[in-house]
Amino acid sequence: MAESSDSVSVDVDAVPFEGKEHAVKTSKGSVSVFVCGDQEKPALITYPDVALNYVSCFQGLFFCPDAASLLLHNFCIYHIDAPGHEVLQLGADVISSDAPILSVDDLADQIAEVLDFFGLKEVLCLGVTAGAYILTLFSLKYKERVLGLILVSPICKAPSWTEWLYNKVLLNLLYFYGMCGLLKEFLLQRYFSKEIRCTMHGSESDVVQTCRKLLDERQSLNVMRFLEAMNRRHDLTDSLKNLHCKTLIFVGESSPFHAESVYMIAKMDRKVCALVEVQACGSLVTEEHPYAMLIPIEFFLMGFGYYRPPHFVCSNNESTPTSPSSRSCIAPELLSPESLGIKLKPIKTRVASEV
């Protein structure tokens, strides 16, 4: 079929990180927000894990052509970095030692101020591990502002003694040695599975090597602040039953946070949440196995009335996404193992169940 004369070809593979950096001043300090896309479209906000920013945490997902067409077609993306974690060339200065360390509640409140700055009333959220915790907390504190959550290897409990001591080791390494080789090894173990960190030829995969280089750009004292906030986080378990927005959780089966992600979904309303477990994958599913996220995300967004265009060409009268006004529960058939797993391997899914 011939294209209409008013159609516009969109090379989505080339535009995932084309946008503008904003330094948003909040009552808790300045925060960097990178905005991609048409601000007239609905908003999707992202928040990365410890020591990562939007590039190192989400480039794998957003550079998948299908994901780019789905997300950029429907949304304006607001990549929110933790304070002091923005990309180096855009000014990631060391936060003054006189500035107080922000708590997880401060970081969640900061997101609300970012939304106010851009005039956003309701958003969808995408976060990874520490970022997933912050966005979950934000969703609990500002329920009316969150349409849905996509959480990758999320955590919801206070740190165990083992994690608390482990984080203290990382904090001491950051303080005394900065972003040293040993610290980067610990972080890479947090993000990636053993299979991708050490291939059959004994070398690291390209995605791990890239992440290692990007970690060199982090200001160690800024990373300390985020990690310290997460090491003081509080337990959200009792509040999860009050989280009624649609939620899709991804977790790698090799993730150190796999058990907690399964625990988390078991505490939520099973009518509005689903879990996708990705085999042979660590915590950072967005980078290690981003293609495993495509079909579940597409089905998830269909519950809001969004869709992925069949081609990377859209006419002017089709450029506006479907309205997300429908607040109905996710259709159970869209979250069944058959519909999510049959076309995409290796993943398996489960609807929330009691543990």
Side-chain angles (χ1 to χ4, degrees):
M1 180 181 296
E3 297 176 8
S4 61
S5 59
D6 60 350
S7 65
V8 179
S9 178
V10 180
D11 183 7
V12 297
D13 199 25
V15 298
F17 288 141
E18 284 189 2
K20 182 178 180 181
E21 185 87 1
H22 298 263
V24 179
K25 293 183 178 180
T26 72
S27 61
K28 308 297 182 181
S30 181
V31 61
S32 173
V33 184
F34 193 82
V35 182
C36 304
D38 182 358
Q39 290 184 249
E40 296 299 316
K41 293 183 176 182
L44 170 67
I45 66 172
T46 73
Y47 211 105
D49 192 17
V50 168
L52 302 177
N53 56 30
Y54 72 91
V55 174
S56 51
C57 196
F58 297 108
Q59 65 179 343
L61 175 62
F62 279 88
F63 275 88
C64 291
D66 287 346
S69 65
L70 174 65
L71 298 175
L72 294 176
H73 173 77
N74 287 293
F75 300 101
C76 180
I77 316 296
Y78 296 79
H79 294 291
I80 304 174
D81 286 330
H85 283 58
E86 57 268 25
V87 293
L88 189 62
Q89 58 266 37
L90 295 180
D93 296 326
V94 176
I95 299 174
S96 171
S97 59
D98 296 330
I101 294 177
L102 300 184
S103 68
V104 289
D105 286 281
D106 292 331
L107 294 173
D109 293 337
Q110 200 173 52
I111 294 175
E113 293 189 59
V114 168
L115 267 55
D116 292 339
F117 177 86
F118 290 104
L120 304 175
K121 294 182 179 180
E122 294 180 318
V123 296
L124 281 167
C125 303
L126 168 61
V128 177
T129 310
Y133 177 95
I134 298 298
L135 291 177
T136 302
L137 179 58
F138 168 72
S139 303
L140 291 167
K141 299 183 72 170
Y142 301 91
K143 295 182 178 67
E144 73 284 354
R145 307 196 73 166
V146 179
L147 287 169
L149 290 168
I150 303 173
L151 307 176
V152 181
S153 303
I155 51 181
C156 64
K157 295 189 285 188
S160 64
W161 278 109
T162 303
E163 184 191 346
W164 186 87
L165 288 171
Y166 184 83
N167 287 342
K168 281 297 184 181
V169 171
L170 298 186
L171 288 165
N172 285 329
L173 285 172
L174 282 165
Y175 183 80
F176 290 108
Y177 302 103
M179 195 61 66
C180 61
L182 181 59
L183 177 71
K184 286 189 284 187
E185 290 302 324
F186 283 140
L187 289 173
L188 292 172
Q189 290 175 21
R190 174 190 178 98
Y191 306 145
F192 300 109
S193 66
K194 182 179 180 180
E195 290 79 8
I196 197 170
R197 284 186 283 110
C198 185
T199 65
M200 65 171 54
H201 302 293
S203 60
E204 291 181 339
S205 68
D206 291 342
V207 66
V208 176
Q209 291 181 17
T210 299
C211 186
R212 184 186 294 276
K213 292 176 182 177
L214 290 172
L215 286 173
D216 288 331
E217 299 178 1
R218 301 281 68 75
Q219 298 284 5
S220 57
L221 295 180
N222 296 349
V223 176
M224 279 183 60
R225 288 174 167 270
F226 192 15
L227 184 58
E228 184 66 44
M230 293 307 301
N231 215 29
R232 298 177 181 177
R233 69 184 186 270
H234 47 88
D235 197 328
L236 302 180
T237 300
D238 292 339
S239 301
L240 291 176
K241 60 180 178 294
N242 299 319
L243 189 63
H244 299 304
C245 63
K246 302 174 184 179
T247 303
L248 178 62
I249 293 178
F250 293 91
V251 64
E253 289 194 327
S254 300
S255 167
F257 308 105
H258 176 269
E260 188 159 348
S261 297
V262 174
Y263 169 87
M264 180 176 177
I265 201 166
K267 299 300 180 181
M268 299 175 67
D269 184 349
R270 68 180 64 188
K271 295 179 181 178
V272 295
C273 60
L275 174 68
V276 178
E277 296 171 281
V278 184
Q279 298 174 9
C281 186
S283 299
L284 201 55
V285 185
T286 52
E287 293 297 302
E288 188 167 347
H289 284 311
Y291 284 98
M293 301 179 67
L294 300 184
I295 290 178
I297 288 178
E298 183 167 5
F299 284 150
F300 179 73
L301 294 180
M302 284 170 58
F304 295 93
Y306 296 113
Y307 66 96
R308 180 171 62 88
H311 304 288
F312 300 157
V313 178
C314 57
S315 64
N316 289 340
N317 59 2
E318 293 177 342
S319 60
T320 302
T322 303
S323 170
S325 59
S326 173
R327 306 295 286 269
S328 61
C329 294
I330 305 171
E333 61 270 17
L334 295 181
L335 296 176
S336 67
E338 292 77 13
S339 61
L340 289 182
I342 194 168
K343 296 181 181 179
L344 191 61
K345 299 294 182 182
I347 70 169
K348 64 179 180 180
T349 64
R350 71 173 80 173
V351 175
S353 59
E354 297 295 335
V355 294

